[in-house]
Amino acid sequence: MAKKKILQQVARKLIIRSNPKSFVSEQYRTLRTNINFSMPKGELQSVMVTSAAPGEGKSTTASNLAVAFAQEGKRVLLVDADMRKPTSHYTFHVTNTLGLSNLLTRQSSFDETVKETGIEGLQIITSGPIPPNPAELLTSNQMDILIEQLKKSYDMIVFDAPPTLSVTDAQVLSNKCDGTIFVISSKETNKDNAVKAKELLVSAKAHIIGVVINNFELSKDHDYYQYYGTKE
């Protein structure tokens, strides 16, 4: 029973799929639109999602954003690049026997590793077995080669990266992606930590295209509280 409860906690809710008319789902579509407007020439094809510290909503944002792009008709790949504390395989109810760590160490082929999510247009590469050297794997030439190969097959690749202040993985990966989205929890994120994390990403030459604020509660009489299509 305890194990089942833990799995339910780490499996992020795909609200944009389960409740597409909710206010939160509309905000994910707004995020998708803003990203599309940030790439008028269509050159932005890979996006990394990170936060300052754990528990601030980066994995939830990455998963729902990937679904939002798939619902737009794009060919989308979600990559769980958190090879230290992966969660995406729980969210999409797929196995994690083979994943990114296997691909980067050439222990599996792409066809063996990529998985269907049950959502049209969206596939996933889970983290794979936890390796002893995640940062080194993300820094490797094999990672560069993999990203270029993925860009030939997908319209959008969303990377779920570890928190920026915890390890160097997010800095390494941000330098390889076209854009970086920084997630802040209005209830959890420490201001100094957010500033420090941003400085680390900037020093890694990350292209920060936007900030997502999670867990911000609007008053119930706020004009934007309800999805306007459902408001009488």
Side-chain angles (χ1 to χ4, degrees), residues 202-216:
V202 170
S203 68
K205 298 182 179 179
H207 177 206
I208 301 175
I209 59 175
V211 175
V212 173
I213 299 179
N214 270 331
N215 301 316
F216 183 80

Side-chain angles (χ1 to χ4, degrees), residues 6-209:
I6 292 173
L7 291 177
Q8 289 174 338
Q9 289 173 341
V10 296
R12 272 64 185 179
K13 187 174 183 180
L14 294 174
I15 190 169
I16 195 167
R17 187 187 192 198
S18 61
N19 191 0
K21 290 189 175 182
S22 68
F23 176 78
V24 175
S25 296
E26 185 61 24
Q27 297 313 300
Y28 281 117
R29 286 189 287 272
T30 299
L31 175 61
R32 178 189 68 192
T33 300
N34 290 342
I35 292 173
N36 286 335
F37 275 117
S38 74
M39 50 180 203
K41 296 181 181 179
E43 72 274 15
L44 199 153
Q45 207 175 345
S46 57
V47 173
M48 186 197 80
V49 181
T50 187
S51 59
E56 295 175 340
K58 66 173 185 58
S59 294
T60 301
T61 300
S63 297
N64 280 280
L65 180 61
V67 175
F69 275 116
Q71 290 177 341
E72 193 183 35
K74 285 185 166 62
R75 295 169 299 165
V76 184
L77 179 68
L78 175 65
V79 181
D80 192 343
D82 190 342
M83 292 185 281
R84 301 171 191 267
K85 194 176 180 182
T87 60
S88 294
H89 57 292
Y90 295 124
T91 301
F92 289 91
H93 306 290
V94 296
T95 62
N96 193 30
T97 307
L98 295 176
L100 181 60
S101 59
N102 302 98
L103 273 178
L104 295 179
T105 53
R106 303 181 185 182
Q107 295 177 345
S108 67
S109 68
F110 176 79
D111 290 340
E112 292 173 326
T113 309
V114 69
K115 302 174 181 71
E116 298 293 337
T117 62
I119 298 172
E120 186 177 358
L122 177 60
Q123 294 183 314
I124 184 173
I125 292 179
T126 59
S127 69
I130 296 175
N133 54 346
E136 285 77 7
L137 291 180
L138 293 174
T139 310
S140 67
N141 290 334
Q142 189 62 23
M143 187 67 191
D144 295 330
I145 295 171
L146 176 63
I147 291 175
E148 291 307 311
Q149 290 177 337
L150 296 179
K151 285 184 174 180
K152 295 177 182 177
S153 301
Y154 296 93
D155 300 313
M156 179 60 72
I157 307 150
V158 179
F159 289 93
D160 179 6
T164 303
L165 295 184
S166 301
V167 289
T168 61
D169 303 19
Q171 289 177 264
V172 171
L173 189 56
S174 69
N175 186 258
K176 298 178 182 294
C177 290
D178 300 329
T180 294
I181 295 173
F182 189 60
V183 176
I184 289 176
S185 172
S186 62
K187 295 181 179 178
E188 302 290 339
T189 304
N190 176 279
K191 181 180 178 181
D192 291 339
N193 284 345
V195 172
K196 186 176 181 180
K198 182 200 170 188
E199 291 174 348
L200 290 173
L201 291 171
V202 170
S203 68
K205 298 182 179 179
H207 177 206
I208 301 175
I209 59 175

